[in-house]
Amino acid sequence: MFETIKFNESDVIYKQGLIQEGLFIVKTGSVSLSKEGSLVYKQVREGGYLELERTLNQLPAEFDAKCNEKTEILYVPLQYLDVFVASNPLKTIEMLSLLTEELEVINDKLLNQNQADQFYSVKKEVKILKKETHVEIKAERSYHKILPTEHYKYLFDKDVTCPVCEIKFKMNQIRFSQLEIDHVTKDFRHIYKDIDDLWYQLWRCPHCHYTNFGSEFFKINNLVRNELKISLPRHKMNHDLMLVKNNIQQVFADIYQMNVILDMVTKSSFVKARLWQSYAWLLEDVNDFETAKQAREILLNYLEDAWYNSTSTLDPDDEIKLSLKLAMLSFEFGNIKNARNYILQGVRVKTNNKSLKQRAQDLMYEIKNAH
């Protein structure tokens, strides 16, 4: 009635466009769902379903399903689905939860069409709690902003081995050589056309959920690695990992997961500041300006720690940018004295970057004349 099928690495379970007559549930191993050539959209690991909603609705498969490693699949023919549901109540609850998420995605698309400026429910909260040793994000609020569907054209996948659990998986990266900059904001955020680099800056292992910036992913020592192997806190446990993101909530989920383990994976205030700067920018993208301001306050704390205590050497331009950010944030939170001190130090740095020098002088004039 139910069959366990064994596959080898690189075996194809089914091809895009075919209608499946049964459910595919990953028992062991992992499966990549891809289309448009080799670009991987999603990885499904143990316990996950392959295109559950489309199978139940007898729609053609959206992806090619290919095994990343030796994999066992439980195949449940749709004609025996009632028997499977009756004998597996926990799986039934899980299926209903997944289908609910699919409905939420459809609802998000409708919401984006009808309410272009409303990306979340104000009835649900986000709390940023300053603990003695870390900062906690309690996010009951979900953000509903659909990402441009065509942005996958700027992606390519990369084979990665997790430094914690040593499992191999694929991670999408952006082809920056193909991007066109639209503009740069006053706080030095690069805005690109059609895609945002913040959506793909964090890598998350789909097996153990170790999360870090791509540039920092392998920079953990043996002590940290062993600690994470024993206990790796998780913001949320999923059976699959979206590699081509379609909703900004998936980006926030990566932010939350990294923040949970932030103090375990890095001591660098620069790295911590980078995470909270990204969080603040993303919150602005969904018009959650109140929470974004709270995030900038945490950002200011990390940047000040980096300014006074870091042993890292910055090049002149980066030193000026840091002083400008500190000045702008101090100014925003009413500390005019600190803002003036930071900008004065920035103006004194020698650089050949005339544009940056002018920005520092303009900000100095603005702060100098502030009441």
Side-chain angles (χ1 to χ4, degrees), residues 198-253:
L198 299 184
W199 302 341
Y200 292 95
Q201 64 177 344
L202 292 179
W203 293 4
R204 190 203 297 208
C205 172
H207 297 268
C208 71
H209 287 254
Y210 164 61
T211 306
N212 209 332
F213 290 103
S215 57
E216 304 289 325
F217 197 74
F218 302 104
K219 296 180 182 179
I220 56 172
N221 58 40
N222 288 332
L223 184 64
V224 172
R225 183 179 293 108
N226 292 334
E227 185 180 358
L228 290 173
K229 280 183 177 180
I230 296 170
S231 175
L232 200 158
R234 289 166 186 151
H235 167 70
K236 184 179 179 182
M237 188 69 175
N238 292 320
H239 293 301
D240 54 55
L241 177 69
M242 293 297 299
L243 295 188
V244 178
K245 295 177 169 65
N246 55 45
N247 192 308
I248 203 166
Q249 181 62 22
Q250 295 158 355
V251 184
F252 279 110

Side-chain angles (χ1 to χ4, degrees), residues 145-164:
K145 183 177 181 181
I146 301 300
L147 306 184
T149 55
E150 296 297 304
H151 80 263
Y152 71 85
K153 294 179 180 178
Y154 299 96
L155 302 176
F156 69 97
D157 56 53
K158 176 183 176 68
D159 291 318
V160 176
T161 300
C162 176
V164 176

